[in-house]
Every structure is written in C-alpha cells, then in structure tokens.
Amino acid sequence: MDRKLKIGITCYPTFGGSGVVATELGIALAESGHEVHFITNRLPVRLQKSLNADVSFHGVNVLSYALFPHEPYTLALASKMAQVVDTYELDLLHVHYAIPHAVSAHLAQEMLGGRFKVVTTLHGTDITLVGNDPSLHPITRFAINNNDAVTAVSEWLKQETIREFSPTIDIDVISNSVDIEQFSPDIGREWAGRHYCEAGLPNLIHVSNFRPVKKAPDAVRVFAKVLERMPARLLMVGDGPDLPTAMQAAKDLGVNDKVSFLGNREDVNFLMASSCIMLMPSQSESFGLAALEAMACECAVVASRTGGLPDLVRDGLDGFICDQDDLDGMAARVIELLGDEPLLMQMKRNARARAVESYRVDIVMDQYLALYDRVLTGKRRTAIV
Ligand code: GMT
C-alpha cells in the first residue's frame, strides 16, 4: 500500500484479546505512516501511552433515558462512526468482534451513502456463543454478508462461521499477532516484580478473563496435581466470573500458598517472561492470543485440543496439546517438561521462534494492508458455494 490511509478502528477496549489485537494493529499502522482513529466506548488499555497526531481516540457517548430498558450503544456507535468518517474523510472502518460493531459500521456506511468501506474481523464468541444466539443470528448473518470484507483469526473460526451462517462473502483468514519486543524473554530480566519468582521454583502461568469458557479453575487443578510430584508456583492473571471458583479450588486443594491471584495486569508480559509454562485448559479458543504472547516470551504451552489452539501450538514442538478436560494428561505433560530441562529449553526456544517467524505484528499488518487495498479497489470476494 503506497498511499497514506485513514482508518477507523472499533473494538472492545478491555483486557480481551480482540481489543489487544485491534490496538496493536492500529499502533503499527500509525507507525508505518497511516492515520488511525479509534472509535470505542473508552480508551483501549494498551493505547494509553500511544496517542499522538496519527492515533486519535473518539469516545462513544451513550444516552441513558428513563424510557429505554437498555442504552442504545449500537446506534450511538453508528452515529459516532458516521461523524468521524465524515469529519476526517476516513477510507475505511475496521471493526473487531461482529456484535454489534459490524452492524453499527454497516449503518454508518448507509448513513454516508456508502462512501467508505467496512472490514470486520471475527474473533470467536461473536460467532460461537453470541452471534449464533437465535436473538442475534439474523442480524449477525446480515452484517457479515454486507460488509466489504470479513476476516477470521483462524481457519477453524472461518469453518465455524461457514457452518453456522453459510455466508455469501468469502472469509479471509488473518491470524492474530504479537509485539515481539514487548513480549520477549529478555523483558523480565531487570524486572522489579521478580519476587513472584521464588528462588529455584519454576513459575507456571494462566492468563485469561476468567469466563467459564477459559476453565481457569482447571488450571489450578492441573497445578495441584503437578505439586504432588514437584515444587512450583502458579501465577493466575486476570479477572472475571470464575475467579472466586478458581480461588476456592486453590483453597480446597491446599495449594493456596503456591498460587498468586494477581488480577488484571498491564505488565502481563513481565509475568509471562518470568514463567516457563503457560496453562490453557480452555473449553473453546478460536485462536488463543494469550498463548501466543506467552510463546513470544519463551514459555512452552500446555493447552487443550480445541479451536485454533492446535494450529498455533505445535504439539511436541512448542508445548503439548491434550484432550479437553484431561487434567491428568495436562499435569503429566507439565511434570514431563519440568523434569526434563533440555526438552523444556528446546520447546521454549521453538515457541519464541514460531512467534517471531510467523506472528510478528509487521507480518500480520501487511496482510491487513493487502486486504484494505483489495477492498478499496473495489474487489469483493463472493463465497464459492
Ligand atoms: O470471543 C471472545 O471470547 C472474546 C475474544 C476477546 O476479546 O478476548 O476472545 C477471542 O478472541 C481472541 C483474539 O482474537 C482469541 O485469542 C480468543 O481465542 C477468542 N476466544 C474464544 O474463542 C473463546
């Protein structure tokens, strides 16, 4: 792409993976000379230090009114999108997570007579849990079919989307990316918070938003089985509905003093860099961004065989993929790794190399730029049925 683009980005600005990916893509686009406008309900977590002339933030204000049972976020977002596109003459909106962003973007496009393009990136539960709910299925399918391009973060998610929605648009697969400088084994070396690493004790780590789909309490259960055989520590990073259950599990299993529940952390990269194995016992995971970030920090990954995880984590190379809910199997793999230093070191190195060679932000950004170019030159890809 040789001309400077003006791009609007909408995402959920929280600790979730889709917001992280959207933010890092936006920052990278601005660093390579494009103008980026974030249109979100609040400032994305990782954007706070990166606002400048090329990266701006437009907050969405939603009206509360006694008559409304729910705040009209979808409509307020569409209005704000139209306003920002019109004022700054944006070329396209790239929205992350279909509900309701793809719908709002389509509305804004209609409001402005189609004078900009819309790209939607599907991330996971927008297809597998939320978008396919009967109350939202028709509007999700409508939005997918009426955007100018739709991407999925893994081949698995593309196939799920086809199975669930039979879309008329061809879906591109563009994977998630990781900032390999921020997520690097070197970053932890000078870190003041190294007190989480007890001398001589290996750290295991679990990072998630503690929704039931992440099975965070199972990470504690796997860890308790590991402790029966060898000493270690577990860092539990994040917050969400399953946090109390995970804490209770640690207490019930008598491993409380070896587990640190750290809440949502902005220094998650430091925590990963001070760990050697990431536990991801998820029930469903379209991609597994936290696993990729851990790999970039030289962590081996022990994860369940679900969604896009087996494509990201090569079983036996970057870690181990175990059957879902096979907590004994996961524990056995962790014990194997902790008991075999050369194997663990090799897997840690493989994991970092894979992140660097295949998932760097610049590699993935170039794929999005090629897609933007295709969309802006008017080529829409129709699904072959
Ligand atoms: O779809 C979700 O559950 C939310 C989303 C998020 O914002 O964290 O997670 C999904 O998108 C991430 C970024 O693409 C992926 O790494 C996660 O695997 C995916 N979560 C699920 O599929 C459960």
Side-chain angles (χ1 to χ4, degrees), residues 10 12 73-75 77 81 95 97-106 143:
T10 292
Y12 284 110
Y73 177 66
T74 306
L75 303 180
L77 176 61
M81 284 170 159
V95 305
Y97 206 90
I99 314 288
H101 304 151
V103 179
S104 300
H106 178 68

Side-chain angles (χ1 to χ4, degrees), residues 288-307:
L289 182 68
L292 173 60
E293 291 178 336
M295 285 164 69
C297 291
E298 250 185 24
C299 283
V301 179
V302 174
S304 44
R305 183 172 290 106
T306 183

Side-chain angles (χ1 to χ4, degrees), residues 16-18 97 123-125 153 176 211 214 284-289:
S18 56
Y97 206 90
H123 279 272
T125 50
V153 296
N176 287 331
R211 282 172 303 155
K214 301 288 180 181
S284 172
E285 204 70 67
S286 68
F287 182 85
L289 182 68

Side-chain angles (χ1 to χ4, degrees), residues 9-74:
I9 293 183
T10 292
C11 61
Y12 284 110
T14 54
F15 284 89
S18 56
V20 167
V21 167
T23 307
E24 284 178 356
L25 173 65
I27 293 169
L29 285 165
E31 280 171 0
S32 63
H34 303 285
E35 185 179 309
V36 178
H37 296 259
F38 279 86
I39 308 167
T40 52
N41 66 325
R42 63 188 165 90
L43 191 62
V45 175
R46 292 195 192 174
L47 192 64
Q48 279 149 14
K49 295 181 198 118
S50 302
L51 292 175
N52 58 44
D54 288 321
V55 189
S56 49
F57 162 65
H58 309 273
V60 181
N61 300 314
V62 191
L63 177 73
S64 287
Y65 185 59
L67 210 57
F68 296 163
H70 307 289
E71 290 182 347
Y73 177 66
T74 306

Side-chain angles (χ1 to χ4, degrees), residues 203-220:
N203 274 347
L204 312 186
I205 188 166
H206 170 82
V207 180
S208 77
N209 45 24
F210 285 65
R211 282 172 303 155
V213 74
K214 301 288 180 181
K215 298 223 165 187
D218 278 356
V220 175

Side-chain angles (χ1 to χ4, degrees), residues 42 52 65 69 110 136 146 153 180 234 236 239 276 289 320:
R42 63 188 165 90
N52 58 44
Y65 185 59
E110 288 288 301
L136 294 171
N146 285 282
V153 296
I180 56 156
L234 175 63
M236 293 289 285
D239 201 347
C276 58
L289 182 68
F320 289 111

Side-chain angles (χ1 to χ4, degrees), residues 8 103 123 162-163 185 204 222 226 247 253 290 348 365 379:
V103 179
H123 279 272
I162 292 171
R163 195 179 59 75
L204 312 186
V222 169
V226 173
M247 294 177 94
L253 292 163
K348 281 159 61 88
M365 182 185 71
K379 295 173 211 130

